[in-house]
Structure formats: C-alpha cells, structure tokens
Amino acid sequence: THLADETAGPELLDQAIADWNKPKPKEEQTGPITVMFTDIAGSTAMTQELGDAGAQEVVRAHNRIVREALSAFAGKEVKHTGDGIMASFNKTSDGVDASIQMQREISKHNKDHPNLPLHIKIGLNAGEPIAEENDLYGTVVQLSARIVDKAAADEIFVSEIIRGICAGKNYNFLKRGGFP
C-alpha cells in the first residue's frame, strides 16, 4: 500500500491541477438582469476630512443602507468595491426602487448624523452579462461602471435601456443627454 499511495499522489495532484485550470461553470441566467453600482462621492476627500475612523463609519452607513435596500428589493450583492457596491437585480424596476430607497435613507442618515455626511452616486444598466464565480463581467458591467462615474453626488443615472424597460411605470426620468 505504501507504494500505491506514492504513485497515486502525483496523479491526484495532476488531476487537482487540471480541475483547477478548467473553465468554471457559468451560472444559469434566465435573461437580462439589471446591474447597479453605488459609489461614495468624494471618498478620498471624505477620508482626509474625517480621518480613517470617521470615513469607515460613513462606509459602514453606506453598506447598511445599500444592503437593506438590496434585501427589500430582491437585489444580490455581487461585490464590494471599496467605496461602493456592485449589485444585480432580476427585475429592473426593483433596481430603480432600491436606488430611490437608498437615496431616501441616505437623506435621513445625513439629517441624523450631520457630522458624518454620506453622498453616493448610483448607476444602473441592464443586459446579459457573463456570470462566473459569483461575479459579473462584460460590456453590461463596464457600461454600468461608466454610468455611475458620470453621475454626481446624490444622483441616480440610468442607461437608455433602463428607461425603456421602465416606460409606462411611475418613474420620472430626466433626459441628461448621451455620454461618450
């Protein structure tokens, strides 16, 4: 048996390495999803003004508010980005509603904690990203990230796709023009 174990060891290792290097199975998708990015506006300046401990309190408030809205509107946190969260929704209007709730809760936070102001930007886009290893990839995600970058503090920016999907629902979108 001792010799068999020695010869089986390299084979098991080779198999483990082969399994590790195989492409990971794609997660099932049932169609388009909505991808959201939140971003704490001015996070670098905030850290300089509040110090590390104060800035971390603001990040914790952001995380709590965003996660509560995700929970309330069937959103899924994909990952934390350091000063924001990437999330997905199976239903576009849930993503819009979650964004609105986030901004309302942040407004309450700012009234209750004027010494720890929180201002976020939110960007939404919809499409069919590539889903692997509990993360999302592709053009849909990249465009969502670009959209949040175009927003200013306390703004929710959405793609034309989001606006189109939500046509006929009770939302008041303002046209801000196209962005390159």
Side-chain angles (χ1 to χ4, degrees):
T1 13
H2 185 35
L3 288 175
D5 286 342
E6 285 180 356
T7 57
E11 290 171 5
L12 289 175
L13 181 60
D14 289 344
Q15 184 60 46
I17 291 171
D19 289 345
W20 177 267
N21 288 323
K22 281 183 192 170
K24 304 301 182 250
K26 290 186 173 73
E27 296 174 8
E28 288 297 314
Q29 288 294 341
T30 57
I33 63 168
T34 296
V35 177
M36 166 196 282
F37 276 93
T38 67
D39 182 46
I40 298 174
S43 58
T44 303
M46 175 189 71
T47 301
Q48 290 173 347
E49 184 178 325
L50 300 175
D52 289 341
Q56 191 58 35
E57 281 189 61
V58 174
V59 170
R60 280 195 295 273
H62 161 273
N63 294 347
R64 178 185 53 78
I65 289 167
V66 170
R67 288 174 177 148
E68 285 174 2
L70 293 178
S71 178
F73 292 97
K76 177 186 174 194
E77 181 174 339
V78 177
K79 63 183 167 187
H80 198 282
T81 62
D83 60 354
I85 287 178
M86 177 183 169
S88 65
F89 298 84
N90 289 328
K91 187 175 170 192
T92 300
S93 59
D94 283 344
V96 175
D97 290 337
S99 299
I100 293 167
Q101 178 177 319
M102 288 173 199
Q103 293 293 22
R104 287 179 177 154
E105 292 300 317
I106 286 168
S107 179
K108 288 179 193 172
H109 163 86
N110 289 339
K111 284 180 186 152
D112 295 343
H113 303 92
N115 58 326
L116 295 171
L118 170 60
H119 299 280
I120 71 168
K121 310 183 299 180
I122 300 171
L124 295 166
N125 188 31
E128 296 182 351
I130 297 167
E132 283 185 5
E133 298 181 12
N134 297 316
D135 203 347
L136 300 174
Y137 303 91
T139 306
V140 173
V141 175
Q142 293 166 354
L143 186 54
S144 299
R146 287 181 56 205
I147 290 168
V148 76
D149 286 343
K150 299 293 183 185
D154 307 318
E155 288 185 328
I156 302 166
F157 272 21
V158 303
S159 66
E160 193 65 27
I161 294 166
I162 298 286
R163 194 181 67 75
I165 292 170
C166 291
K169 295 188 180 355
N170 196 22
Y171 299 119
N172 185 19
F173 292 106
L174 300 175
K175 278 230 178 230
R176 300 297 293 267
F179 293 99

